[in-house]
């Protein structure tokens, strides 16, 4: 059943599970719970049509550098994303002595069966394609065009199923006529009311008319993302000093440029179409031995074909603003930026033609080191209901920038043969700190841990010292790895669904 809280906030059903958020996490969880006929209510701040602007935040740290990083509407940010999928690497789950505050309380093998289930939700045709040795020969042959030292680097495969999964249409049609599965939209989650035994009794919400109302359920699951989840917890006086700490993202941008001594066709490192239903690309990551011996996090990079020598900082900023999200089309400002940056036009032509190239930018997606001072707190500013909004303080440290310099040093000295490429000198000292943007992968503000001393939720995503409150979104990531977070978020939702079904009461 679909319920518009602006029109009807009095007839909200009591359910087994209340899910706050209808994005990738909330929708994946709902789809899995429906299979077992578990009653649930999805609470969404936005509407069925245009994104809501009712939720705001205050930015006091580094700006994400993008015009959009999330969307409040039914289906959440899945209405914007490009649909790129990849699992985290095994090393991402491990405690690494050279990466402070690293280590998950679960392993890659714990999550693997749920990765496969999540892939089916997200229209992934074959999980095996994440393994280079399982790729079709036509694709694996394309990987050979870029020659590198395989003791230093390795291929990492990313898949983009087509069409991209947009949960708005999926869950709206799936739950529209259901008597046990409900979507309540235009309903902003404001505060949990809990008693001395730390059991959530109800959720207070507000609608577009400025009215407040209550929601009751046996269990509550926050799937609101790493910016809004801590705001809701802090406004609910949930006691844990780690709430909002360790905000992470994937800083991204072109770090340097290489010149092939003989023109190469490296389009699989941007994208190739395997079939009408699947796009494939490969990144390059450092081997585990290289990471450990050089004390660098798990960065990933791609080759981005360029028609000219050098990297232009202004063009790079425009390109980054266009790469991250689909948002329904180009604005007038976007069109103007493209028209006034000829290098960008040529880049788009080269990308479409898959031409051989002489120059290629090394485009990095970096793993941010968990940093407690990068955080979400409550602002002095308030929303229309009188609650403090989120204060976003995204910070990178000198160690993050040092890790990029170390990565570049390894690439220059050991990753490629001098008979194959050379580094373009004027780009090796590029001021990356002024160029990089967010990849809109907000992570880490309610991290998973073995204890409440170091995290907010346990290995089953239950909030420490709370009986019936869970979190399932990017906020629970202890470390970010280098992959788009969506597949992992969906896998965690599938895993949580099994837990909620097993311990149903």
């Amino acid at each position: 059943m679909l319920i518009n809280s602006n029109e009807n906030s009095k007839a909200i059903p009591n359910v087994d599970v209340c899910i706050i958020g209808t994005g990738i996490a909330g929708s994946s969880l709902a789809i899995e719970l429906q299979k077992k006929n578990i009653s649930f209510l999805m609470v969404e701040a936005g509407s069925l049509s245009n994104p809501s602007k009712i939720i705001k935040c205050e930015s006091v740290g580094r700006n994400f550098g993008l015009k959009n990083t999330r969307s409040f509407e039914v289906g959440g940010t899945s209405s914007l994303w490009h649909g790129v999928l990849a699992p985290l690497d095994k090393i991402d789950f491990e405690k690494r002595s050279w990466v402070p505050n690293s280590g998950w309380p679960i392993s890659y093998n714990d999550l693997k069966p749920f990765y496969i289930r999540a892939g089916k939700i997200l229209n992934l045709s074959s999980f095996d394609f994440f393994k280079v040795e399982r790729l079709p020969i036509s694709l694996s042959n394309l990987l050979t065009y870029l020659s590198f030292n395989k003791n230093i680097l390795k291929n990492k495969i990313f898949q983009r199923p087509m069409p991209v999964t947009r949960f708005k249409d999926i869950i709206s049609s799936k739950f529209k006529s259901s008597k046990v599965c409900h979507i309540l939209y235009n309903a902003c989650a404001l505060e949990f009311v809990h008693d001395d035994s730390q059991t959530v009794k109800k959720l207070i919400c507000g609608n577009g008319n400025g009215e407040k109302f209550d929601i009751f359920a046996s269990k509550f699951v926050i799937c609101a993302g790493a910016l809004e989840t801590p705001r809701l917890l802090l406004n609910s006086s949930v006691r844990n000093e780690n709430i909002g700490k360790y905000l992470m993202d994937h800083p991204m941008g072109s770090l340097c440029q290489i010149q092939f001594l003989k023109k190469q066709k490296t389009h699989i490192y941007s994208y190739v179409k395997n079939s009408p239903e699947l796009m494939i690309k490969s990144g390059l990551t450092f081997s585990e031995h290289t990471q450990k011996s050089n004390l660098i996090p798990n960065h990933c990079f791609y080759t981005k074909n360029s028609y000219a020598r050098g990297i232009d900082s202004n063009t790079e900023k425009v390109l980054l603003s266009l790469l991250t999200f689909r948002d329904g089309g180009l604005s007038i400002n976007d069109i103007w930026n493209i028209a006034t940056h000829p290098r960008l036009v040529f880049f788009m032509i080269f990308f479409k033609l898959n031409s051989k190239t002489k120059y290629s930018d090394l485009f990095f997606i970096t793993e941010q080191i968990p940093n407690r001072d990068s955080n979400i707190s409550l602002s002095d500013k308030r929303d229309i209901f009188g609650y403090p909004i989120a204060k976003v303080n995204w910070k990178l440290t000198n160690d993050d920038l040092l890790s990029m310099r170390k990565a570049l040093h390894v690439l220059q000295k050991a990753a490629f043969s001098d008979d194959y490429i050379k580094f373009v000198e004027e780009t090796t000292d590029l001021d990356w700190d002024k160029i990089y943007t967010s990849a809109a992968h907000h992570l880490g503000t309610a991290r998973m841990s073995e204890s409440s001393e170091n995290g907010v939720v346990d290995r089953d995503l239950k909030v420490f010292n709370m009986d019936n409150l869970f979190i399932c979104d990017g906020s629970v990531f202890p470390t970010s790895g280098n992959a788009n977070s969506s597949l992992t978020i969906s896998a965690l939702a599938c895993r949580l669904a099994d837990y909620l079904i097993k311990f149903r009461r």
Side-chain angles (χ1 to χ4, degrees), residues 198-488:
Q198 301 303 297
T199 298
V200 175
K201 295 299 184 182
K202 65 181 181 180
L203 170 67
I204 301 174
C205 288
N207 63 20
N209 303 320
E211 301 167 336
K212 295 180 185 178
F213 55 92
D214 298 334
I215 292 175
F216 298 90
S218 298
K219 296 182 178 68
F220 295 83
V221 183
I222 312 175
C223 303
L227 304 189
E228 283 304 303
T229 288
R231 177 199 63 81
L232 180 56
L233 293 172
L234 291 170
N235 276 328
S236 304
S237 301
V238 175
R239 294 191 294 272
N240 185 303
E241 293 184 355
N242 294 299
I243 293 172
K245 305 299 191 294
Y246 302 101
L247 171 63
M248 299 176 292
D249 208 303
H250 287 132
M252 67 175 187
S254 292
L255 183 65
C256 60
Q257 191 181 67
I258 57 176
Q259 177 183 339
F260 296 105
L261 300 187
K262 182 180 180 180
K263 283 188 176 182
Q264 297 293 326
K265 194 171 185 178
T266 59
H267 55 293
I268 194 169
Y269 292 91
S270 295
Y271 266 120
V272 296
K273 182 175 287 189
N274 177 63
S275 68
E277 293 78 33
L278 180 63
M279 303 281 283
I280 292 276
K281 72 174 177 179
S282 174
L284 287 170
T285 61
F286 294 100
S287 67
E288 292 187 12
H289 172 73
T290 302
Q291 292 180 46
K292 186 173 183 179
S293 59
N294 291 277
L295 305 180
I296 52 179
N298 192 11
H299 302 317
C300 180
F301 66 93
Y302 312 91
T303 63
K304 181 159 64 68
N305 291 352
S306 179
Y307 84 100
R309 182 184 179 95
I311 299 174
D312 178 73
S313 297
N314 291 328
T315 300
E316 184 70 14
K317 290 179 180 179
V318 176
L319 177 62
L320 289 173
S321 72
L322 298 176
L323 277 178
T324 305
F325 272 151
R326 158 202 178 272
D327 62 359
L330 298 176
S331 68
I332 294 175
N333 189 53
D334 292 332
I335 295 171
W336 173 254
N337 280 331
I338 293 171
T340 54
H341 289 81
R343 291 176 66 104
L344 183 57
V345 176
F346 276 101
F347 166 78
M348 296 170 75
I349 293 172
F350 264 62
F351 181 81
K352 290 292 185 182
L353 295 179
N354 292 327
S355 304
K356 286 186 177 181
T357 184
K358 182 178 181 180
Y359 298 104
S360 188
D361 301 342
L362 295 188
F363 185 88
F364 271 71
I365 302 287
T366 65
E367 178 180 22
Q368 182 178 345
I369 298 171
N371 166 28
R372 191 176 178 85
D373 292 331
S374 180
N375 59 58
I376 304 292
S377 59
L378 293 180
S379 170
D380 292 333
K381 300 177 181 179
R382 294 178 178 266
D383 61 21
I384 64 171
F385 306 102
Y387 286 84
I389 64 174
K391 181 189 291 186
V392 181
N393 185 17
W394 183 42
K395 284 186 177 181
L396 266 70
T397 66
N398 289 334
D399 287 340
D400 288 299
L401 301 178
L402 177 61
S403 79
M404 294 307 302
R405 289 194 286 270
K406 286 182 178 179
L408 180 57
H409 178 78
V410 173
L411 290 176
Q412 290 178 293
K413 300 300 181 183
F416 302 102
S417 168
D418 292 338
D419 297 329
Y420 179 63
I421 71 160
K422 65 178 181 179
F423 282 77
V424 177
E425 292 180 1
E426 60 261 36
T427 66
T428 55
D429 292 323
L430 189 71
D431 195 348
W432 198 72
D433 181 43
K434 294 181 180 177
I435 292 177
Y436 74 82
T437 71
S438 153
H441 302 157
H442 309 142
L443 305 166
T445 54
R447 61 200 328 249
M448 189 192 308
S449 179
E450 294 286 1
S451 72
S452 59
E453 293 181 3
N454 300 308
V456 178
V457 298
D458 64 18
R459 59 182 288 117
D460 296 313
L461 304 184
K462 187 165 76 70
V463 176
F464 287 113
N465 303 316
M466 300 295 290
D467 294 335
N468 61 340
L469 181 60
F470 299 78
I471 301 174
C472 184
D473 54 36
S475 68
V476 304
F477 283 44
T479 50
S480 63
N482 55 45
N484 308 64
S485 50
S486 302
L487 182 61
T488 300

